[in-house]
Amino acid sequence: MWLINSSIGRKVVMSVTGIALILFLTFHGCMNMVALFSEEGYNMICEFLGANWYAVVATLGLAALAVIHIVFAFILTAQNRTARGDNRYEVATTVNPGKVEWASKNMLVLGLIILIGLLIHLWNFWYNMMFAELIGAMPAISPTDGFEWIKVTFSNPVFVVIYVIWLVAIWFHLSHGFWSALQTLGWSGKTWLCRWKMIGLVYVTLLMLCFLIVVLAFAFKCAPSLCC
């Protein structure tokens, strides 16, 4: 199958799964913003997205997208390194000198940081919430009390620093990945390439700010529902 066996096919799979993950991040970011205004509202969303069959199916689908994206990323990176050999750094400086983006040259490093951050995030929230509810565990905090889990997690300055670094890495990754995915799918010509780069930069910046604001608000206890 050309989507798996060819380089172009793998890039298409990477692009489609990447766009799907960006859409999920958009939903997740909007959901998190609710926690800044209403503890009850946020916990209602958490309960709705708890151990229900539709939430579990959606989680499995999301996990499949993430795994496919990560696996194909490693395959393409290895393929590119093998093709370029010892001249890969020379190619980066001689082809389009000065125009190779930092994020583009460091996508593997950024991807590894994002993967580590994702595992920490799953441990802090999914493991203590949906998974705990599925197996019938009773942690100190209710699995459906997402608001309290956010408070506990970001009361720890170590996690605050880790999440800030993680979000910065995602920003760099997506600032390149957004327009690159559209270019791979043939949705950008000479005119639209610069436009998509700007649209992507603005969109990704606003998206990451949604997450960052929540982290810092709870870290400094600035969320309205946390104030006495």
Side-chain angles (χ1 to χ4, degrees):
M1 187 177 181
W2 73 275
L3 285 174
I4 299 175
N5 298 326
S6 71
S7 177
I8 295 176
R10 295 184 190 118
K11 289 180 180 179
V12 169
V13 172
M14 280 278 292
S15 299
V16 172
T17 54
I19 291 172
L21 291 171
I22 289 174
L23 291 175
F24 166 73
L25 284 175
T26 302
F27 163 76
H28 197 354
C30 294
M31 169 185 163
N32 284 1
M33 291 295 288
V34 174
L36 294 178
F37 305 100
S38 172
E39 176 179 353
E40 181 181 354
Y42 183 75
N43 283 341
M44 284 178 62
I45 297 174
C46 290
E47 186 173 359
F48 177 74
L49 298 176
N52 305 297
W53 70 266
Y54 46 83
V56 173
V57 169
T59 300
L60 292 174
L62 181 63
L65 287 174
V67 169
I68 292 171
H69 190 80
I70 292 168
V71 170
F72 274 62
F74 277 103
I75 292 174
L76 285 170
T77 299
Q79 177 183 304
N80 290 337
R81 285 179 177 271
T82 300
R84 293 178 180 178
D86 295 332
N87 297 321
R88 61 181 180 270
Y89 298 110
E90 182 182 343
V91 170
T93 56
T94 57
V95 178
N96 264 344
K99 294 186 178 180
V100 181
E101 296 181 357
W102 182 89
S104 176
K105 293 188 294 183
N106 294 277
M107 289 297 271
L108 180 60
V109 175
L110 291 171
L112 289 173
I113 295 173
I114 292 170
L115 178 58
I116 294 171
L118 176 61
L119 293 175
I120 293 173
H121 183 64
L122 290 174
W123 172 265
N124 283 332
F125 293 97
W126 180 82
Y127 177 80
N128 288 308
M129 295 175 71
M130 179 181 283
F131 183 74
E133 194 174 353
L134 283 172
I135 65 174
M138 290 301 295
I141 304 171
S142 171
T144 60
D145 194 352
F147 189 87
E148 190 63 27
W149 280 113
I150 295 179
K151 282 174 60 177
V152 169
T153 300
F154 298 125
S155 64
N156 186 333
V158 174
F159 282 128
V160 173
V161 172
I162 289 174
Y163 271 78
V164 170
I165 294 173
W166 184 42
L167 292 173
V168 171
I170 295 175
W171 181 87
F172 274 110
H173 188 80
L174 295 185
S175 65
H176 171 80
F178 184 96
W179 64 264
S180 181
L182 296 177
Q183 186 181 46
T184 297
L185 295 174
W187 294 348
S188 63
K190 292 182 178 179
T191 302
W192 270 96
L193 180 58
C194 291
R195 294 177 181 175
W196 280 126
K197 285 186 176 182
M198 182 55 65
I199 293 171
L201 184 62
V202 173
Y203 186 87
V204 169
T205 300
L206 292 175
L207 180 57
M208 289 301 101
L209 280 175
C210 287
F211 289 97
L212 184 61
I213 288 170
V214 172
V215 171
L216 297 179
F218 278 83
F220 295 103
K221 297 180 174 57
C222 297
S225 47
L226 291 175
C227 298
C228 298

